[in-house]
Amino acid sequence: MKTDVEEITQRTPGFAGWKQEAWLYHCGDGAAFLGPAGYRELKAHPEALAMLREDHRRYGWSPTDIEEFLRGLDRTGEPTAYLFRCSHCNTSLAS
């Protein structure tokens, strides 16, 4: 039986990002990659937006800078977010 890491790295299509790609995990398992997402797409996934806000808050960004950055996300341009969904609890995640 393959481990989660083997399954993701050997059997799952990857994606190219403008920064280092990271596969997200939730509920102890690799999440399903849904694709690139801009702010417009992320508005339908408030949990994913909250995750991005928290990540940038930890980087020391101000709330104003975070919101400006998030509103500038573009599914087909740069920067973009990468949307995932937990296969177990359906939580939306983003990086």
Side-chain angles (χ1 to χ4, degrees), residues 35-42 45 52 73-76 79-83 94-95:
Y39 183 72
R40 202 162 82 182
E41 293 80 21
L42 289 170
H45 303 276
L52 291 172
L73 292 171
D74 184 335
R75 185 179 62 81
T76 61
T80 191
Y82 302 101
L83 186 60
S95 67

Side-chain angles (χ1 to χ4, degrees), residues 13 15-16 21 30 32 34 36 40-41 46 51-52 57 64 77-78 81 83 94:
F15 63 96
E21 300 82 19
L34 302 180
R40 202 162 82 182
E41 293 80 21
M51 182 178 184
L52 291 172
R57 187 197 62 74
T64 301
E78 291 182 7
L83 186 60

